């Protein structure tokens, strides 16, 4: 039964909570650093990943040595020159490219031997030599794979022209979800998780730690406001700020970077709102533990931004990491958001996958909030 006294107490709680949210909103608007971290820095990161960072290897400079000029070798050399993956520099001897390979002016060297045409006409399997710079393993693998692709494309053209027999087994390649294999299409959605980590963890830890430094947190706790009301009132504006920053990033990704969006807006917001739970909880816990802006910013970067960037599968495959590091990635919330965002953008709504990610992120968020509330009460008492 609702008595007048209990109704009045509830109404008072609602008014206190609304006042806290309004006060925190005014503080965000008046603080230039909050706008900088929430909107300017995310835009810089998004443009950096959209334009500056690319995992696509195109126009890689290679040296091409043709030992014997024949119609077959010239045809193969033309196949390399026509490839969009290579910028070809031709020479007569591989020793001419030694200094270029050492100095990094070319990333690889393709040598077509003098016996190439004779071996092919005699029915023997010809070979070409590929020399790559092993100091950069990724580029070396790219060069090797693209050389094989260029040779396979040349053989396929000869087969279509009736100049060669078709292979016994022909493998047809088809790439789902990202047919062009454009790295921007999965880098930009992943960078949105990095942006939300900045807003949720770094910004929250800085602002709340500043209130601990100034003593305003203790002053507010001396009022009738409960600890739960105080924490919720402080976090709600940052929750809305995080969703706003995410919305802006998605609009830029779709309309400026032409990243396909095949999922639903509802799934996008559910995943993003869920991710903000552990992000905000982590920022709140950091501020309650450190009570210092400098320490809070450093700890937020080390425990929030860097793991989201390095241990989430954003740039580096988790399965390729050492086993111990793979276990650590399970407590990184971005590990669950980044694949989900990439799926929403490139594949669509796959709710069994989303449900598992949402459950884990909510669990991590609940742990962070429980620790933050417990630590806040200890410091006040």
């Amino acid at each position: 039964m609702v008595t007048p006294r209990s109704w009045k107490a509830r109404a008072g709680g609602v008014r206190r909570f609304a006042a806290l949210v309004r006060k925190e909103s005014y503080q965000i608007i008046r603080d230039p650093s909050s706008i900088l971290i929430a909107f300017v820095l995310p835009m810089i990161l998004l443009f950096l990943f959209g334009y500056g960072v690319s995992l696509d290897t195109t126009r890689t400079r290679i040296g091409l040595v043709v030992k014997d000029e024949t119609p077959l070798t010239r045809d193969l050399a033309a196949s390399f020159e026509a490839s969009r993956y290579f910028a070809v520099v031709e020479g007569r001897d591989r020793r001419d490219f030694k200094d270029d390979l050492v100095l990094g002016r070319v990333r690889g060297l393709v040598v077509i031997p003098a016996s190439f045409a004779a071996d092919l006409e005699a029915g023997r399997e010809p070979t070409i030599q590929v020399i790559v710079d092993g100091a950069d393993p990724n580029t070396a693998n790219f060069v090797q794979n693209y050389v094989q692709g260029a040779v396979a494309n040349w053989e396929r053209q000869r087969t279509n022209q009736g100049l060669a027999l078709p292979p016994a087994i022909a493998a047809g390649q088809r790439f789902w979800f990202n047919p062009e294999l454009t790295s921007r299409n999965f880098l930009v959605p992943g960078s949105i998780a990095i942006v939300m980590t900045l807003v949720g963890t770094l910004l929250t830890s800085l602002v709340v730690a500043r209130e601990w430094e100034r003593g305003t947190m203790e002053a507010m706790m001396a009022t009738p406001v409960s600890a739960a009301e105080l924490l919720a009132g402080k976090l709600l504006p940052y929750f809305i700020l995080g969703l706003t920053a995410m919305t802006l990033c998605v609009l830029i990704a779709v309309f400026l970077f032409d990243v396909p969006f095949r999922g639903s807006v509802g799934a996008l917001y559910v995943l993003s709102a869920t991710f903000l739970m552990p992000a905000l909880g982590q920022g709140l816990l950091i501020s309650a533990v450190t009570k210092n802006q400098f320490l809070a910013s450093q700890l937020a970067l080390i425990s929030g931004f860097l793991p989201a960037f390095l241990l989430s599968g954003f740039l580096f495959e988790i399965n390729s990491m050492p086993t111990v590091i793979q276990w650590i990635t399970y407590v990184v919330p971005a590990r669950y958001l980044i694949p989900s965002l990439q799926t929403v953008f490139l594949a669509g709504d796959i709710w069994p996958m989303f449900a598992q990610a949402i459950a884990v992120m909510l669990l991590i968020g609940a742990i962070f909030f429980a620790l933050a509330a417990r630590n806040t009460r200890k410091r006040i008492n």
Side-chain angles (χ1 to χ4, degrees):
M1 181 177 180
V2 179
T3 63
R5 179 176 295 180
S6 62
W7 181 87
K8 189 174 181 180
R10 290 182 182 179
V14 172
R15 286 196 299 270
R16 288 195 302 270
F17 181 73
L20 284 171
V21 173
R22 188 164 55 251
K23 172 257 180 191
E24 199 63 36
S25 301
Y26 287 150
Q27 182 171 331
I28 292 174
I29 296 173
R30 294 169 183 169
D31 185 11
S33 63
S34 298
I35 303 300
L36 179 68
I37 295 177
F39 296 108
V40 179
L41 187 57
M43 294 303 100
I44 294 175
L45 287 175
L46 200 64
F47 277 93
L48 179 64
F49 287 117
Y51 287 121
V53 177
S54 176
L55 301 181
D56 303 326
T57 302
T58 58
R59 308 307 297 169
T60 301
R61 192 176 177 87
I62 65 168
L64 178 63
V65 175
V66 181
K67 293 282 190 174
D68 184 24
E69 292 279 353
T70 66
L72 278 174
T73 57
R74 287 310 314 161
D75 192 33
L76 179 57
S79 179
F80 283 106
E81 293 171 351
S83 174
R84 66 186 179 95
Y85 298 109
F86 296 129
V88 177
V89 180
E90 286 199 42
R92 301 293 298 175
D93 196 315
R94 66 181 181 182
R95 288 173 292 186
D96 297 339
F97 293 100
K98 180 180 179 181
D99 293 337
D100 291 334
L101 192 61
V102 171
L103 296 176
R105 289 195 288 260
V106 296
R107 292 297 183 178
L109 187 61
V110 178
V111 181
I112 304 177
S115 60
F116 180 85
D119 289 341
L120 189 63
E121 292 173 351
R124 296 187 296 269
E125 184 177 2
T127 60
I128 63 174
Q129 186 179 30
V130 181
I131 303 171
V132 294
D133 181 7
D136 186 353
N138 289 330
T139 304
N141 287 328
F142 284 142
V143 170
Q144 185 176 9
N145 292 333
Y146 287 147
V147 166
Q148 293 174 354
V151 173
N153 184 58
W154 176 73
E155 291 178 335
R156 186 164 52 252
Q157 290 177 350
R158 282 174 48 80
T159 300
N160 294 336
Q161 296 170 0
L163 301 177
L165 294 176
I169 300 176
Q173 292 182 335
R174 184 179 178 185
F175 300 100
W176 285 15
F177 312 128
N178 187 14
E180 299 84 9
L181 298 180
T182 305
S183 61
R184 177 188 294 176
N185 289 347
F186 65 88
L187 282 178
V188 172
S191 66
I192 296 175
I194 308 299
V195 167
M196 295 179 68
T197 301
L198 283 176
V199 176
T201 303
L202 179 61
L203 183 58
T204 304
S205 63
L206 280 175
V207 173
V208 180
R210 180 170 54 200
E211 297 213 11
W212 282 109
E213 282 184 341
R214 295 175 177 175
T216 55
M217 185 69 78
E218 288 89 344
M220 284 189 292
M221 291 298 292
T223 66
V225 177
S226 65
E229 289 175 344
L230 177 60
L231 297 181
K234 293 192 74 63
L235 292 183
L236 181 58
Y238 295 101
F239 179 82
I240 298 174
L241 193 65
L243 290 181
T244 304
M246 180 274 299
T247 302
L248 183 60
C249 291
V250 170
L251 292 176
I252 292 176
V254 173
F255 294 106
L256 183 61
F257 295 134
D258 293 325
V259 178
F261 186 83
R262 300 188 175 102
S264 65
V265 175
L268 175 68
Y269 276 92
V270 168
L271 290 166
S272 301
T274 306
F275 174 76
L276 284 174
M277 297 294 112
L280 293 172
Q282 184 178 3
L284 192 63
L285 175 61
I286 290 172
S287 64
V289 170
T290 60
K291 296 177 64 174
N292 179 277
Q293 290 187 78
F294 177 76
L295 290 178
S297 64
Q298 298 304 306
L299 194 56
L301 289 174
I302 294 173
S303 65
F305 176 76
L306 289 180
F309 191 78
L310 300 175
L311 302 181
S312 61
F314 174 53
L315 288 178
F316 308 106
E317 181 65 35
I318 293 178
N319 292 331
S320 300
M321 299 177 184
T323 304
V324 175
I325 303 299
Q326 291 185 38
W327 281 102
I328 295 176
T329 63
Y330 284 106
V331 298
V332 178
R335 172 196 168 116
Y336 307 97
L337 178 65
I338 289 177
S340 299
L341 284 181
Q342 292 170 342
T343 301
V344 169
F345 273 86
L346 299 178
D349 293 354
I350 303 179
W351 282 104
M353 171 187 176
F354 297 162
Q356 182 180 4
I358 289 171
V360 176
M361 288 189 289
L362 286 176
L363 176 61
I364 297 175
I367 294 173
F368 278 138
F369 275 114
L371 293 175
R374 181 171 177 267
N375 198 278
T376 301
R377 284 196 298 268
K378 281 186 175 182
R379 289 186 176 273
I380 294 301
N381 295 334

